[in-house]
Amino acid sequence: MIPINVIDASWLAIDSEDTPMHVGSLQIYSLPEHFAETFLRDEIERMKAGEVVAPWNLKLTKPGILGRLLSPSWSEDDAIDINYHVRHSALPKPGGERELGILISRLHSNHMDFHRPLWECHFIEGLENNRFAIYTKIHHSLVDGVNGVRLVQRMLSDSPDDLSMPGPWSVGPKARAGRSGDTAPNLSGLIRKSLETAYEQASNTPQLVKALGKLVASLAYKHDDLVAPFDCPNSILNTRVTHARRFATQQYSLDHLKALAAATDSSLNDIVLFICSSALRAFLLERDSLPEQSLTAGIPVNVRLSGDETIGTEVSFILANLASEEPDVMKRLEIIKKSTKAAKQHLQTLPRKVLVQYTMLMMAPYTLQLLTGLAGRVDPAFNVTISNVPGPKDALYFCGCKLEAIYPLSMIANGGALNITCLSYNGSLNFGYIACRETLPSMQHLAVFSGDALTELEKVIRAKNKGKRRKSMK
């Protein structure tokens, strides 16, 4: 058995039919003209014969709700039904982005069977312009965003000449250095580990108290730019959700976004948050539902050590003010910049060994809301989750087919009906919007409003530069 850490166990505990806790990716490939019509079918059959490795071969030892809550652990499945996990389907030709989005929305809505390894891989033919897609989903307790991207990279090649590649389920993470000699724990080892953990927690307590105290002070006195949990309004984004999902995408040039960041003395993450904030502002104004107080974003932060590709999640969280109530473009961006700077500085004061405990304590009220069924019925801890995950910098190929775009699909829960995740790839930044179909039926408008936000920022920058040139000429 492989034990599951506290954070990963929480994803399993709050998983339900209406709030499945799986994440996914949509990869779109171009098919070379000279490839046979049966290429994809033949490749799928070939790959099915390959080995299934961790994390793809892991299933819950006790899949029932009590087992997931009281003694969560993984076991290797020696009898995987590969035909259940690997699916082959097609859109009516020529399948466009709309038809693909509808299919992916439906596939991402479906809850997975907890008696099997928690993943599915769908190969989808019939996309216009001689393309196909691969949609993969896997439970968040097995991978986080960064590790998921690394798994994708390991299944792909930087050469179009590699024509016989393994399926995703045959590619696992690299082994962590120093782990090959691990053995099953004995009683003395467990006692020693327990004492070490107790000592570590005791030594970390002053740092935790100080960090959490600063959040409480920020919430009570609002004396700085640091955002605390629950320092946000209620909104239509923070209601109960149903199982049905709606998925939309948007793609931007990474160089273009970096140029805007440089022009405004911002980080790329600040520009991403500005785009999301401005799009949400327009989206809520359209529905006459914009709160007078600013929305806040929960932002996962990768805390993995370099080279660590083990299973499970390694993330902390920061909270940021989105300044959604601010009509002025540059003021909105400046507030976002100050907020993210304060949040990052706060997180950087904590040693890495404290981060897991800090994250659990900071998110404990929200987690309790989810576990008790109160989420979506009481005030939210934050309004929306926004992630920005670094991806492959260069073009990649799958069995000779070029990866044209990759879009992330995350998860939503009661009290948080929208998730926006960005992933960079080969000079572009790809946005994946996932939302509750019932709560936000016109969610795809966000993609349009995101483009409007960029246009608005560009106009302000041009006007500012034009004003500077006029002033310098006088």
Side-chain angles (χ1 to χ4, degrees), residues 379-400:
D379 291 340
F382 52 90
N383 298 109
V384 60
T385 301
I386 302 174
S387 306
N388 185 8
V389 181
K393 295 181 179 180
D394 301 314
L396 296 174
Y397 299 83
F398 177 72
C399 297

Side-chain angles (χ1 to χ4, degrees), residues 163-215:
L163 302 179
S164 184
M165 299 169 63
W169 52 90
S170 297
V171 179
K174 295 178 181 177
R176 183 187 289 180
R179 295 294 295 272
S180 58
D182 286 359
T183 58
N186 53 33
L187 179 59
S188 63
L190 289 173
I191 293 174
R192 184 175 66 255
K193 182 65 176 177
S194 298
L195 291 174
E196 289 173 353
T197 301
Y199 175 79
E200 183 177 288
Q201 289 177 340
S203 64
N204 292 341
T205 297
Q207 293 167 307
L208 285 172
V209 170
K210 183 178 179 181
L212 293 171
K214 190 172 182 180
L215 282 180

Side-chain angles (χ1 to χ4, degrees), residues 118-165:
L118 298 176
W119 64 274
E120 294 175 11
C121 186
H122 298 256
F123 293 82
I124 304 165
E125 291 192 78
L127 274 69
E128 60 187 354
N129 300 321
N130 203 34
R131 298 175 301 158
F132 68 92
I134 300 178
Y135 162 70
T136 307
K137 68 179 180 182
I138 186 169
H139 204 276
H140 196 27
S141 57
L142 287 167
V143 298
D144 56 34
V146 171
N147 217 19
V149 172
R150 288 174 179 170
L151 283 176
V152 169
Q153 285 182 266
R154 285 175 59 78
M155 66 165 272
L156 300 176
S157 171
D158 57 5
S159 172
D161 298 324
D162 291 339
L163 302 179
S164 184
M165 299 169 63

